[in-house]
Amino acid sequence: MVFIMNKVPLPSSQHSVEPGKDGENRNRLTQIMLLKSLLQVSVGFQCTNMLTALPSAFLDRLLSSALLEDPEIRLFVLEILISFIDRHGNRHKFSTISTISDISVLNLKVEKCSRQDSVFMKKVIPGFGKSWSGVTAFPGLGAP
């Protein structure tokens, strides 16, 4: 997976985006093809904790792809992240979601956050430890 992600051409990497209309189109097609491949790999991947599934070098490059202007590429990145994070087969429930006020209608399987995942989130997301307690205030996101 890291190998595939390292081949995705990003504007801020050594795989510079080729100038001109033809170069931009080639890079876009390459990005989409590689992200589709990564999505296929991630769908079959079962992680036990996010720290091992999403090493920082991989996550940085993946999230850099999410900052590109192309909405199709951003959508692939979100699908890949959902595939990695989903451990209970909830991925298909997110395919048609727009904004909803009460997520309990989705009947998601929820489990307590493991220590490894908590360490990962604190490392990756600044202020996670402070804000996590507020998440349980949302309807349907309480402990199982």
Side-chain angles (χ1 to χ4, degrees):
M1 292 183 296
V2 175
F3 176 78
I4 295 171
M5 197 63 230
N6 284 336
K7 299 300 179 189
V8 175
L10 298 172
S12 63
S13 70
Q14 68 271 16
H15 302 287
S16 62
V17 176
E18 297 176 32
K21 190 72 170 170
D22 290 337
E24 289 175 11
N25 192 35
R26 262 191 307 257
N27 283 321
R28 181 183 180 280
L29 292 175
T30 302
Q31 290 165 338
I32 290 172
M33 178 190 65
L34 290 170
L35 289 172
K36 280 183 181 180
S37 299
L38 190 58
L39 179 60
Q40 290 298 315
V41 171
S42 68
V43 167
F45 184 78
Q46 291 291 323
C47 70
T48 55
N49 66 59
M50 287 184 270
L51 191 57
T52 56
L54 300 169
S56 61
F58 174 79
L59 188 60
D60 288 342
R61 287 197 52 90
L62 185 62
L63 293 177
S64 293
S65 298
L67 297 175
L68 296 173
E69 291 182 23
D70 191 327
E72 187 177 6
I73 291 173
R74 292 194 312 258
L75 183 61
F76 277 125
V77 171
L78 289 175
E79 289 178 4
I80 291 166
L81 285 172
I82 288 171
S83 293
F84 280 122
I85 294 170
D86 181 32
R87 296 181 192 150
H88 299 291
N90 292 321
R91 182 174 162 246
H92 68 281
K93 295 179 182 179
F94 290 101
S95 62
T96 58
I97 292 182
S98 58
T99 305
I100 58 174
S101 59
D102 184 8
I103 64 168
S104 63
V105 298
L106 297 174
N107 298 321
L108 298 175
K109 295 177 187 172
V110 182
E111 65 183 27
K112 185 177 178 188
C113 184
S114 70
R115 184 177 183 281
Q116 294 92 351
D117 289 349
S118 180
V119 168
F120 170 80
M121 297 302 269
K122 286 177 184 175
K123 178 181 172 186
V124 174
I125 303 172
F128 172 76
K130 298 175 201 155
S131 63
W132 180 249
S133 60
V135 172
T136 57
F138 290 106
L141 252 187

